[in-house]
Amino acid sequence: MKEDKDARWFELECVPKEYIFPMEYRPQNLDSPVCDSIPVIDLAKSKAANGHNSQPVEEILKASQEFGFFQVINHGMAEKTVTDAINVLKEFFDMQAKNTTGTVPHTKGYIYTNSTDFAKDGVHLWRENLKHACHPLEECVRLWPDTPTRYQEVIAAYIIEIQKLSSRILEMICEGLGLKQGYFKDTSEVQLLSSNLYPPCPDPSLTLGILAHYDPSLLTILYQGGSTGLQVMKDGQWVNVGANPNAFVVNIGNQLEIISNRKLKSVKHRVVNNTHETRRSIATFVNPSPDCIIEPAKHLVNELEPSLYPASQYKDYVLRNKAFGDYTAAIQNALR
């Protein structure tokens, strides 16, 4: 067994048929991918005299309009907080790989799925996943995995810092859109964590780590370290998101596209697999509160730019769009 191969994903010379997607879903041109061009934004750029980070604000708004994705560096999160989080998640997945009983833990507080549990139209994704709620943090943390023993403490510290970062980014987006300061203050929380393990794959052209989809969140903040695999749809082509070990990837979710009256884009994205490397990622979803009314901000609606979306409680939006699985069609179905 080669180093960095997960024990659950034993040496395979070919992809089992239950992991082979129909031709229309398979990734194309893996040998000659489109060059990475997702903007990387430095949040530590000097502040203007009025105290605002004018240049990063402009860069975030432009990236959100053109790509729906950007990366942030010099974000202020301690390297140890990030390293501890990715390491404890590695420990968790390693423990599942050593589980020889064939059972998978299911609790009220979290869901772990291995490759045989998560499928699309009878085809399995090439990944393992751990998902759990994060809000309210003090209540949720007690229901998270208790092994590794430091899991709850480490991930809680990570979530607290992600909340700070997401609030900072949302404030900058408010400034760029001309919305009042604190527009999202009482209506956005890090509500969900989704951690993924994508082991090496004998033939990535046949498989997918995650199907193409849109996010139903306000914002999604992803740590992927130095691993590749995330791709974004841009002008009908898949664009690779560069692997910057010190960056967080941020993408605009469906709710923020609605609130911005489509000034910002929620775009389709997916994860492709790799022949030699294991990819590990931590996705955190910043969502509105369930009872929050989601609609275009009144400041952004006028006779020349009428509202493109109906008002809806966030919980109703989610219920309506559950039929879309990963919410691939959710943004189109929110249109009037």
Side-chain angles (χ1 to χ4, degrees), residues 226-274:
S227 59
T228 59
L230 178 61
Q231 295 184 332
V232 176
M233 180 64 75
K234 177 75 166 69
D235 299 329
Q237 291 185 300
W238 288 107
V239 176
N240 293 322
V241 177
N244 186 326
N246 300 312
F248 284 96
V249 180
V250 182
N251 69 276
I252 303 300
N254 292 356
Q255 307 311 306
L256 196 47
E257 177 171 313
I258 292 170
I259 291 168
S260 72
N261 207 29
R262 213 188 298 168
K263 287 180 170 57
L264 310 182
K265 290 184 180 180
S266 176
V267 301
K268 190 179 293 186
H269 52 286
R270 69 181 184 183
V271 173
V272 298
N273 295 302
N274 187 286

Side-chain angles (χ1 to χ4, degrees), residues 19 32 37 62 68 78 85-86 89 133 136 149 151 173-174 176 178 189 205 229 255 306:
Y19 294 89
S32 55
S37 57
K62 183 178 180 181
I86 205 73
L89 284 160
T149 54
Y151 182 93
I173 288 174
C174 281
E189 297 288 346
S205 69
Q255 307 311 306

Side-chain angles (χ1 to χ4, degrees), residues 93-289:
F93 284 117
D94 286 347
M95 290 175 64
Q96 306 315 312
K98 296 174 183 176
N99 177 9
T100 59
T101 65
T103 61
V104 177
H106 292 280
T107 78
K108 292 182 180 180
Y110 68 94
I111 299 173
Y112 164 73
T113 54
N114 64 27
S115 61
T116 60
D117 292 322
F118 197 93
K120 169 69 174 176
D121 297 334
V123 181
H124 303 301
L125 294 175
W126 196 270
R127 74 157 185 178
E128 298 184 24
N129 175 261
L130 170 65
K131 188 182 278 90
H132 57 65
C134 299
H135 181 75
L137 184 59
E138 60 275 11
E139 296 178 16
C140 292
V141 68
R142 296 180 290 104
L143 302 176
W144 294 350
D146 53 13
T147 53
T149 54
R150 65 194 188 108
Y151 182 93
Q152 296 178 358
E153 177 185 355
V154 166
I155 298 301
Y158 180 82
I159 293 300
I160 289 169
E161 294 305 310
I162 287 290
Q163 180 65 53
K164 293 177 183 176
L165 178 60
S166 67
S167 296
R168 182 181 176 190
I169 292 171
L170 284 170
E171 277 299 304
M172 297 173 83
I173 288 174
C174 281
E175 182 179 338
L177 291 174
L179 301 178
K180 65 180 181 180
Q181 188 176 7
Y183 186 91
F184 294 103
K185 183 177 180 181
D186 299 320
T187 58
S188 64
E189 297 288 346
V190 178
Q191 294 192 0
L192 182 69
L193 176 143
S194 179
S195 300
N196 299 292
L197 166 70
Y198 307 94
C201 177
D203 189 350
S205 69
L206 302 177
T207 66
L208 279 171
I210 297 182
L211 285 160
H213 66 284
Y214 298 86
D215 284 353
S217 56
L218 275 170
L219 282 180
T220 302
I221 299 182
L222 173 78
Y223 180 75
Q224 61 174 359
S227 59
T228 59
L230 178 61
Q231 295 184 332
V232 176
M233 180 64 75
K234 177 75 166 69
D235 299 329
Q237 291 185 300
W238 288 107
V239 176
N240 293 322
V241 177
N244 186 326
N246 300 312
F248 284 96
V249 180
V250 182
N251 69 276
I252 303 300
N254 292 356
Q255 307 311 306
L256 196 47
E257 177 171 313
I258 292 170
I259 291 168
S260 72
N261 207 29
R262 213 188 298 168
K263 287 180 170 57
L264 310 182
K265 290 184 180 180
S266 176
V267 301
K268 190 179 293 186
H269 52 286
R270 69 181 184 183
V271 173
V272 298
N273 295 302
N274 187 286
T275 306
H276 304 292
E277 296 180 356
T278 295
R279 172 184 168 86
R280 296 180 180 88
S281 67
I282 311 173
T284 43
F285 297 88
V286 182
N287 297 334
S289 58

Side-chain angles (χ1 to χ4, degrees), residues 296-311:
K298 292 179 172 54
H299 176 78
L300 303 176
V301 175
N302 53 52
E303 290 184 2
L304 296 177
E305 297 181 280
S307 173
L308 298 174
Y309 304 90

